[in-house]
Amino acid sequence: MASIQDIARIAGVSVATVSRVLNNHPYVKKEKVEAVEKAIAETGYIQNINAINLKKGKTNLVGVVLPIVDHPYFSQLIQGISQAAASHHYKLVLYQTGYHEGQEMEALEMLKLKQIDSLIICSRKVSLEIIERYRQYGMIVLFENGGTTPLSYTFVDHYTCFMNALAHLYDKGHREIGFSINRSDGTNSRYREQAYQDFLKMKGLPYHEEYMVRDCLYLEDGERILERFSQLQHRPTALLATSDQVAAGIVIASSKYGISIPEDLAIIGFDNHPIAKAMDITTIGIPLNSIGQLLFGQTLSKEMSHEEVAVRLIERRTV
Amino acid sequence: MASIQDIARIAGVSVATVSRVLNNHPYVKKEKVEAVEKAIAETGYIQNINAINLKKGKTNLVGVVLPIVDHPYFSQLIQGISQAAASHHYKLVLYQTGYHEGQEMEALEMLKLKQIDSLIICSRKVSLEIIERYRQYGMIVLFENGGTTPLSYTFVDHYTCFMNALAHLYDKGHREIGFSINRSDGTNSRYREQAYQDFLKMKGLPYHEEYMVRDCLYLEDGERILERFSQLQHRPTALLATSDQVAAGIVIASSKYGISIPEDLAIIGFDNHPIAKAMDITTIGIPLNSIGQLLFGQTLSKEMSHEEVAVRLIERRTV
């Protein structure tokens, strides 16, 4: 394979001139540009960006760790990260992990090996302690409340917004409030569960294990919740759902179970996906696209930063 | 920065031994492993995958060109590509183009510069003629019927499945059939529009420009279609929708417009997204996840290949 030196020799110009031609530098004499282009055509010289990256120590690639892509929560985040990245000439490398620690470790190793310049971790299984060991290799940004971790992060205060949503249901007269979460071991889920327990205590309400439904993330989980609630002697009169997908699934399946929304079951969703707007579902609006843009912005900074994103309850027809 | 040669010198071993240690080769004496690890720790040596990629001429990255991520059609495709890629130790680089030719060209240039080993083009604006010029640099795979193009592709026969869906509506007694598409200049949209025109001719039905709604892709476009149809003196009695998102948007907004589905308007969606199953929408099932896996498989082959994926009408409640 021809090298840049070969091109320079054949074209009768300096290596610096070849480099300027390759980078479309404006101040190169026309004859020299032509000579270089001729030499490139003759030798079949191919520039290799890995050589450039090696020299620059930079790839303009940002890694994104997330469990799945085909859920609006994550696809909206990606869309936001990708939009911000594009305006800085960065591309995304997806590490779709399915919450397998091995896959998450692979992303961290790729940061170490400089396949990517920085890493955004949207959701994780690997401990913060392990992740922190990799921060010497590039900026790592989390989408969660990382507390005192020496990593950058952007977060939504899941505890407070869950508290506020519960208070909203309580103010509307609900005393039997159920809730659904996805996995139990994530940072966000832990904050939500804590809020639920604290709220019940604060209001002197009893805790019913059967009002809590786990592993809920998709439309079809909405029907699973209804099926479960319909078998209970005493059903909750309201539900805080993991995601608008779950909330929409409940609204769709409700007629099948003879349950009127909100008369028999009030629902507050989460995220404000397009489906929540279309179906008039009360929800907690999380600006996922903007959050994606913020996360990318944090990867560019050399300084550690922590951003809290304000969220608000959007009152619609399901409460 | 320390080089692999420095490590070898400090550890008192050969460069080949350092390389074996870095690659976790099983047959290296314990003392040598320790000496190399000590030298790495002392010098702060960092392996750079760009050097490895340069040497191998391979990055284990596959590029994916698509206009947007936050739509189930594309996010399901990515999910499928990503799953297949993971099992071959490949990662995805996203080129989210918003149908800007410049962004698509950037992806092609990155194939040329070996940032990626191969490229999957899920939807495009740049002409096939231009794309074909890049096939010397790596495998390019399209998700469309590429006809006689010397590129690999996987496709769904949009013409035939549109014809079959129209025949299904015709058999149910519909003579005034509307349809929605997204952009007009895509290969798939052209095939669909051709099928619509041919079907009307075949059955001797008149063509109504106002029965065709363009730029439809999202939930909210469903309401736009209803708004438009409700202003017509003579409304279509059935609609072939671009996407299940559009079909679901229509079902959701139908009560607001006093339109009963399917009595006043029968609907066939497209893709079989989870929302179509949840809302019992008749649709044309496109196995997007499997298609994503197929597309990735084609990038690995050295031979050009063309795959047609069978699709089927899934009869539900909206016709």
Side-chain angles (χ1 to χ4, degrees), chain B residues 30 51 74 103 115 132 146 159 166 177 200 207 210 218 243 249 258 292 294 313:
Chain B
K30 206 178 150 213
F74 292 110
Q103 300 279 329
Q115 184 181 54
E132 287 164 8
Y159 183 88
L166 288 163
I177 305 172
L200 294 182
Y207 171 77
E210 65 273 24
Y218 297 101
S243 156
L294 266 177
L313 185 77

Side-chain angles (χ1 to χ4, degrees), chain A residues 270-281:
Chain A
F270 218 92
D271 298 339
N272 198 25
H273 293 159
I275 190 84
K277 197 179 168 205
M279 298 186 79
D280 229 352
I281 294 171

Side-chain angles (χ1 to χ4, degrees), chain A residues 62-77:
Chain A
V62 54
V64 179
V65 165
L66 74 184
I68 49 167
V69 174
D70 65 346
H71 188 283
Y73 179 87
F74 292 110
S75 60
Q76 284 182 26
L77 266 180

Side-chain angles (χ1 to χ4, degrees), chain B residues 12-281:
Chain B
V13 300
S14 68
V15 167
T17 300
V18 177
S19 170
R20 279 197 287 271
V21 173
L22 289 172
N23 293 301
N24 301 312
H25 196 289
Y27 305 118
V28 186
K29 279 189 188 154
K30 206 178 150 213
E31 309 86 81
K32 289 189 177 177
V33 173
E34 285 168 1
V36 169
E37 285 177 347
K38 188 159 166 275
I40 288 173
E42 276 170 15
T43 57
Y45 169 76
I46 296 172
Q47 241 187 319
N48 189 312
I49 202 155
N50 299 292
I52 301 167
N53 291 343
L54 192 61
K55 207 168 164 189
K56 285 192 307 187
K58 203 163 169 269
T59 60
N60 278 57
L61 293 173
V62 54
V64 179
V65 165
L66 74 185
I68 49 167
V69 175
D70 65 346
H71 188 283
Y73 179 86
F74 292 110
S75 60
Q76 284 182 25
L77 266 180
I78 298 175
Q79 181 87 8
I81 296 169
S82 178
Q83 278 169 3
S87 66
H88 288 86
H89 305 289
Y90 268 77
K91 299 294 166 202
L92 273 55
V93 176
L94 286 192
Y95 298 96
Q96 184 181 309
T97 65
Y99 286 127
H100 292 298
E101 296 199 12
Q103 300 279 329
E104 294 181 17
M105 289 308 297
E106 204 183 319
L108 290 163
E109 283 293 317
M110 282 300 158
L111 180 68
K112 184 173 167 184
L113 291 174
K114 303 199 169 298
Q115 184 181 54
I116 47 177
D117 294 341
S118 51
L119 189 62
I120 296 171
I121 300 180
C122 298
S123 191
R124 68 182 167 87
K125 185 135 183 142
V126 162
S127 73
L128 277 185
E129 202 188 344
I130 289 173
I131 294 170
E132 287 164 8
R133 283 183 216 148
Y134 286 83
R135 73 191 172 104
Q136 58 182 304
Y137 304 114
M139 195 50 100
I140 299 176
V141 184
L142 309 171
F143 177 30
E144 69 182 89
N145 186 346
T148 58
T149 185
L151 301 170
S152 288
Y153 54 81
T154 287
F155 71 104
V156 163
D157 182 346
H158 285 262
Y159 183 88
T160 304
C161 67
F162 229 60
M163 277 294 209
N164 291 344
L166 288 163
H168 181 70
L169 292 171
Y170 189 90
D171 291 345
K172 296 277 183 181
H174 296 283
R175 297 295 178 268
E176 313 275 300
I177 305 172
F179 91 109
S180 72
I181 51 174
N182 183 21
R183 62 201 185 112
S184 308
D185 55 348
T187 305
N188 297 343
S189 294
R190 278 204 308 273
Y191 278 117
R192 290 181 181 190
E193 208 164 329
Q194 191 57 51
Y196 185 66
Q197 303 285 4
D198 289 355
F199 187 85
L200 294 182
K201 246 180 248 163
M202 190 175 82
K203 298 292 185 186
L205 299 173
Y207 171 77
H208 302 285
E209 175 63 32
E210 65 273 24
Y211 285 5
M212 187 195 291
V213 190
R214 297 182 192 275
D215 299 317
C216 293
L217 191 60
Y218 297 101
L219 276 170
E220 50 267 39
D221 295 317
E223 176 155 4
R224 187 160 57 85
I225 291 171
L226 284 186
E227 203 179 343
R228 184 158 148 190
F229 283 178
S230 65
Q231 288 162 2
L232 298 177
Q233 201 107 42
H234 292 98
R235 297 178 198 177
T237 61
L239 178 88
L240 258 186
T242 339
S243 156
D244 287 329
Q245 299 301 304
V246 177
I250 293 175
V251 174
I252 293 167
S254 58
S255 61
K256 185 173 156 186
Y257 288 83
I259 290 174
S260 290
I261 311 288
E263 294 76 10
D264 302 328
L265 186 68
I267 302 167
I268 297 182
F270 218 91
D271 298 340
N272 197 26
H273 293 159
I275 190 84
K277 196 179 168 206
M279 298 186 78
D280 229 352
I281 295 170

Side-chain angles (χ1 to χ4, degrees), chain A residues 76-90:
Chain A
Q76 284 182 26
L77 266 180
I78 298 175
Q79 180 87 9
I81 296 170
S82 179
Q83 279 169 4
S87 66
H88 288 85
H89 306 289
Y90 268 78

